[in-house]
Structures are given as structure tokens and as C-alpha cells.
Amino acid sequence: MEIHALWLVQHLLFALWVNGLLTIGLAGAQQGVICNESLMLQNLPLCGKSFQEMMHKVDSSKWCNLTEFILYYNNFTLCTEDKAATAKCFWPNPIAEGFITGIHKQFFSNCTSKKVHWEDPPDKILITLIFIPVLLTIAMIGLVVWCSKRNDILV
Ligand SMILES: *[C@@H]1O[C@H](CO)[C@@H](O)[C@H](O)[C@H]1NC(C)=O
Ligand SMILES: *[C@@H]1O[C@H](CO)[C@@H](O)[C@H](O)[C@H]1NC(C)=O
Ligand SMILES: *[C@@H]1O[C@H](CO)[C@@H](O)[C@H](O)[C@H]1NC(C)=O
Ligand SMILES: *[C@@H]1O[C@H](CO)[C@@H](O)[C@H](O)[C@H]1NC(C)=O
């Protein structure tokens, strides 16, 4: 169990979650608009492309080091939000999430298997402390997605 990787995932998910709540709050004010999924699908790859270009400037041995790419990642997140908003879609939404997950796989899939600098043996309590927020965050994302789906139906 790689604590470093869990920590990374947790922070990425948390960032998604906070942004999601903010966007849902904002989106509530502009209900009645219809999400143009094809427009969003068409524009999301632009975000992926610029993120890829920026990540390639970072040494790939540092791809698991959040401090090295948090700025780029934040930029990428803002970009996906922007594309969703342009298409009048809620963010996060299943399509954007699928896209972001794909990007994660591309860059962070090796973070669990790579030898991460971690000297102390994993501590049970530490793992628990990290896991609880991760599970909570996943649950909250599920809730947010569910709510936004409901909103889509209701609109
Ligand atoms: C959705 O976006 C596509 C691609 O830009 C566009 O061709 C289409 O007219 C849009 N649909 C609506 C309902 O706005
Ligand atoms: C991650 O990158 C930062 C900034 O370059 C560096 O200070 C830190 O030691 C790195 N951490 C690890 C675990 O490599
Ligand atoms: C964020 O992305 C935009 C366009 O993709 C780019 O112009 C800008 O320099 C980026 N900012 C950072 C901090 O990488
Ligand atoms: C992950 O590791 C495999 C095998 O070492 C390598 O081919 C692949 O390019 C790596 N992917 C990333 C994102 O570092």
C-alpha cells in the first residue's frame, strides 16, 4: 500500500469535490439551460492536450510528486470546468469525469508501483486516517454526480 499515492489521489479527489460543490452552487442559479454534451466532448481534449504538453516539461520521474505539477493540474481542472460551463453543463459530470480519469490513468497509473521515497513502514493508523477522507470524498462525489443527474432530469 503506497501512502504517497493514496495521499495524491485523495487530494485530487478533494479538489474535484470542492470545485464540484462550488459549480453546483453556481449552476443552481442558471437552471433551465441544456447541457450540450457533444460541444463539451469536442472541447475537453483541448484541456488534455495542454495538460499533456505541460506535463511533458516535468521530468517523468517526478510525475508522482504533486508539488511538481499542482499548478498544471489546477490549470487543467479549471480548463475542464470552463469547457463544461461553455457547453452549459454541470461540473463535474460523468463525461468530464471519465475524461479526467483517463488523463489520471495516463500520468498517474505508475504512481502506485513506482518506488516512492517512503522510509517508514506503513502505519495502520495512518492508512486509516488517509482512507476515511478518501471514502468520504468518493461518497460526496457520488452524491454530487447523483444530484447533478437529478437536476438534469428535473430541468
Ligand atoms: C451543440 O454543439 C454542437 C457542436 O458545436 C453544435 O453543432 C450544436 O448545434 C449544439 N447543440 C445545441 C442544442 O446547442
Ligand atoms: C517534490 O518536489 C518538490 C519541489 O521540487 C521537492 O521539494 C520535494 O522534495 C519533492 N518530494 C519528493 C517526495 O520527491
Ligand atoms: C494555463 O493554461 C493556459 C492555456 O492553456 C496557459 O496560457 C497558461 O500559461 C497556463 N498556466 C499555468 C500556470 O500553467
Ligand atoms: C508506466 O510504466 C510502463 C512500464 O515501465 C511504461 O511503459 C509507461 O510509459 C509508464 N507510464 C507512465 C505514465 O509513466
Side-chain angles (χ1 to χ4, degrees), residues 3-87:
I3 287 180
H4 192 85
L6 281 177
W7 181 86
L8 176 73
V9 169
Q10 182 197 337
H11 279 76
L12 298 181
L13 289 178
F14 185 70
L16 280 178
W17 173 60
V18 170
N19 278 306
L21 287 186
L22 288 176
T23 314
I24 293 281
L26 291 175
Q30 40 159 312
Q31 277 193 3
V33 291
I34 297 163
C35 168
N36 188 339
E37 291 186 349
S38 60
L39 181 61
M40 182 171 58
L41 272 175
Q42 191 179 316
N43 284 334
L44 279 177
L46 298 176
C47 303
K49 197 160 169 284
S50 80
F51 183 63
Q52 275 163 3
E53 276 166 14
M54 289 189 270
M55 283 302 274
H56 283 305
K57 288 185 202 153
V58 178
D59 192 297
S60 64
S61 67
K62 290 179 183 160
W63 279 358
C64 296
N65 185 340
L66 189 65
T67 46
E68 292 278 344
F69 65 82
I70 187 70
L71 276 180
Y72 306 144
Y73 187 79
N74 188 43
N75 203 338
F76 170 67
T77 310
L78 290 175
C79 178
T80 60
E81 263 188 85
D82 178 59
K83 299 306 176 203
T86 306

Side-chain angles (χ1 to χ4, degrees), residues 81-139:
E81 263 188 85
D82 178 59
K83 299 306 176 203
T86 306
K88 299 202 177 359
C89 301
F90 287 103
W91 194 97
N93 57 63
I95 294 175
E97 265 173 33
F99 181 76
I100 292 169
T101 308
I103 295 285
H104 280 190
K105 278 201 192 119
Q106 185 179 349
F107 288 101
F108 311 132
S109 58
N110 283 353
C111 288
T112 46
S113 56
K114 232 176 216 163
K115 257 200 164 170
V116 181
H117 185 70
W118 192 266
E119 276 153 9
D120 299 323
D123 185 79
K124 253 189 187 168
I125 293 170
L126 198 53
I127 289 180
T128 313
L129 284 178
I130 290 169
F131 247 117
I132 288 172
V134 169
L135 292 177
L136 275 179
T137 310
I138 290 170

